[in-house]
Amino acid sequence: MEEELKKERKKVILSGIQPTGIFTLGNYIGAVRHWGLMQEEYQCAYFVADLHSLTVRQEPAELRRRTLEAFALLLACGVDPEKSLVFVQSHVCNHAELSWILSCYSPFGALSRMTQFKDKAAKHADNVNAGLFTYPALMAADILLYQPDYVPVGEDQRQHLEFTRDVVEHFNGIYGNVFRMPEAYIAKTGARIMSLQEPTKKMSKSDTNPNAFITILDDPKVIVSKFRRAVTDSETEVCFREGKDGINNLMSIYSAVTGMSFEQIEHDFEGKGYGDFKAEVGSAVAEKLRPIREKFAELMADRSYLEQQCKIGAEKAAEISARTLLKVKKKIGLLLP
Ligand code: TRP
C-alpha cells in the first residue's frame, strides 16, 4: 500500500493572477499567501496572466512594468521557482494557440451568460471587444494545458472555472479522455477581505479611494494610518457579529496575519476601544508585510535574475503544455507538421 502511495503522482495546482497593479492585502490573504504554503504538498504552477489584461486597454510601458513586478511579487510572497513552475502567460505561446482551438468548442450562449463579461462590457462600453467575450476560453486553455487537479480561484472566477469544466465535458465527450477535470480549490481559511472604507464591498486595487485598500508594498506608516481611518460602527465592542462588517473585516485580517482565533482576539481586546484595536491590526499587518516588501525591493534591483527566472519558467511551461497541445491537435485532426 505504501509503495503504491509513493508512486502516486503529486496533485497539481494551477492558478494565475493579472498584472493589473500591486497585489492588495486581500489578494495576499485570500490567495497568494496560500500559493507559497501549498508548494510542499502539491506540484504547483503559477503564472502572470498578462494576455487576460489585454481585454481592457493598457498603457504599453505600464503593462510591461507591471508584468515583471507581478512576477517579482509572486516570488516575494513565497513562491519558490525551485519548487513550483512560475512564468508569464504570454511567454508560452501554447496558451494562445489552445485558446483558439477551445474557442471553437465554447458555445456563444454560455459565453454571453458570463457575469464578468456582462459587468466589464457595461463598465467599458466603448471597448467591448472579442477578447473580453472569449476570455473564458483563454482561461480554460491556461488551466487545461497543465492538467491540474485543483484550481484555487476567488468567488469572481468561479463561473469561469465552471465554464472550463463544461468545456472538458464537451471535449472529452467527443474525443475521449483528453483533459483532466479540474476542481475548484477552496482554501481552509478562505477569508474574503473587504474594503476598509465600505466593508460590504470586496477590497480592490482599482478602488478610487486609496484608503479603501492596502497594497502589500504600502509603507508601514501608510498601513497604520489607513487602518486608523477604517470604517467601523457606532458600538465599542470588538467582537465578530452579523452587521459589524467593518470590525468583522478587521478581525478576519488580524486573525489571518497573527493566526489568532476570533475568540482569542475578542478576549484580548475586551474592554479596549476600537482605536486600540485598529492600531494593533495596522502594526501587525505592517510587520507581516515587511519581509515581502524587502524581498520585492531586492528582486527588483536584480533585473537579470528576474529575467532569467522568467525564461526558465517559460521553457519548462512550454515543455509541459506542449504535451497536452499535441494530444489535442492529434485528436481534432490537425495535420502535424
Ligand atoms: N482570470 C483570472 C483573474 O482575473 C486570472 C486567470 C487567468 C486565472 N487564467 C487563469 C486564474 C487560470 C486561474 C486559472 O483573476
Side-chain angles (χ1 to χ4, degrees), residues 14-18 47 49 52 135 139 142-143 151-153 157:
L14 170 136
S15 200
I17 190 158
Q18 287 197 45
F47 64 95
H52 276 106
Y135 180 117
M139 185 153 156
D142 296 338
I143 295 172
V151 181
V153 284
Q157 297 298 320

Side-chain angles (χ1 to χ4, degrees), residues 107-119:
F108 187 91
L111 289 172
S112 337
R113 285 191 293 276
M114 295 292 124
T115 52
Q116 184 176 341
F117 169 69
K118 289 191 268 185
D119 290 349

Side-chain angles (χ1 to χ4, degrees), residues 16-24 27 47-59 62-71 73 116 120 123-124 135 156-157 202-207 213 215:
I17 190 158
Q18 287 197 45
T20 42
I22 302 298
F23 308 162
T24 65
N27 298 134
F47 64 95
V48 180
D50 55 345
L51 295 174
H52 276 106
S53 301
L54 297 177
T55 55
V56 276
R57 200 61 65 233
Q58 302 287 337
E59 209 281 299
E62 199 171 308
L63 177 61
R64 211 167 2 251
R65 176 175 57 76
R66 284 178 163 174
T67 302
L68 193 67
E69 281 176 359
F71 186 84
L73 282 171
Q116 184 176 341
K120 287 203 179 172
K123 200 165 151 202
H124 305 277
Y135 180 117
D156 59 328
Q157 297 298 320
K202 187 182 150 191
M203 182 182 283
S204 160
K205 54 194 164 206
S206 52
D207 202 305
F213 61 93
T215 84

Side-chain angles (χ1 to χ4, degrees), residues 94 97 101 322 325-330 333-337:
N94 299 340
E97 199 172 340
I101 295 173
L325 186 59
L326 181 64
K327 200 161 146 193
V328 168
K329 287 180 171 176
K330 283 186 186 159
L334 293 181
L335 175 67
L336 298 177

Side-chain angles (χ1 to χ4, degrees), residues 39-246:
Q39 294 176 114
E40 310 302 329
E41 200 179 337
Y42 301 97
Q43 180 59 55
C44 301
Y46 302 119
F47 64 95
V48 180
D50 55 345
L51 295 174
H52 276 106
S53 301
L54 297 177
T55 55
V56 276
R57 200 61 65 233
Q58 302 287 337
E59 209 281 299
E62 199 171 308
L63 177 61
R64 211 167 2 251
R65 176 175 57 76
R66 284 178 163 174
T67 302
L68 193 67
E69 281 176 359
F71 186 84
L73 282 171
L74 289 179
L75 304 195
C77 289
V79 172
D80 179 351
E82 298 282 329
K83 293 183 188 150
S84 300
L85 182 59
V86 206
F87 61 98
V88 173
Q89 184 187 30
S90 69
H91 293 178
V92 184
C93 57
N94 299 340
H95 289 241
E97 199 172 340
L98 183 62
S99 170
W100 167 256
I101 295 173
L102 294 184
S103 73
C104 300
Y105 296 83
S106 300
F108 187 91
L111 289 172
S112 337
R113 285 191 293 276
M114 295 292 124
T115 52
Q116 184 176 341
F117 169 69
K118 289 191 268 185
D119 290 349
K120 287 203 179 172
K123 200 165 151 202
H124 305 277
D126 55 338
N127 183 22
V128 184
N129 58 71
L132 199 57
F133 189 68
T134 58
Y135 180 117
L138 176 58
M139 185 153 156
D142 296 338
I143 295 172
L144 300 180
L145 278 171
Y146 300 88
Q147 307 277 9
D149 298 270
Y150 301 112
V151 181
V153 284
E155 217 28 69
D156 59 328
Q157 297 298 320
R158 268 302 184 86
Q159 200 183 22
H160 291 157
L161 186 60
E162 272 315 307
F163 175 88
T164 303
R165 290 171 54 85
D166 290 344
V167 169
V168 171
E169 201 164 279
H170 183 45
F171 198 95
N172 285 358
I174 306 172
Y175 302 105
N177 260 344
V178 179
F179 297 124
R180 181 183 298 273
M181 184 63 88
E183 311 270 347
Y185 181 90
I186 315 290
K188 289 182 193 84
T189 47
R192 199 161 115 96
I193 304 305
M194 312 305 273
S195 155
L196 297 184
Q197 292 296 315
E198 287 174 76
T200 49
K201 249 177 52 181
K202 187 182 150 191
M203 182 182 283
S204 160
K205 54 194 164 206
S206 52
D207 202 305
T208 48
N209 181 352
N211 285 326
F213 61 93
I214 305 280
T215 84
I216 63 172
L217 299 180
D218 275 351
D219 183 81
K221 286 200 200 75
V222 173
I223 295 177
V224 169
S225 121
K226 284 183 182 177
F227 276 106
R228 202 181 313 120
R229 288 179 213 183
V231 168
T232 48
D233 54 60
S234 55
E235 299 176 7
T236 53
E237 204 188 338
V238 175
C239 64
F240 196 94
R241 202 188 318 126
E242 198 174 339
K244 291 174 76 76
D245 300 313

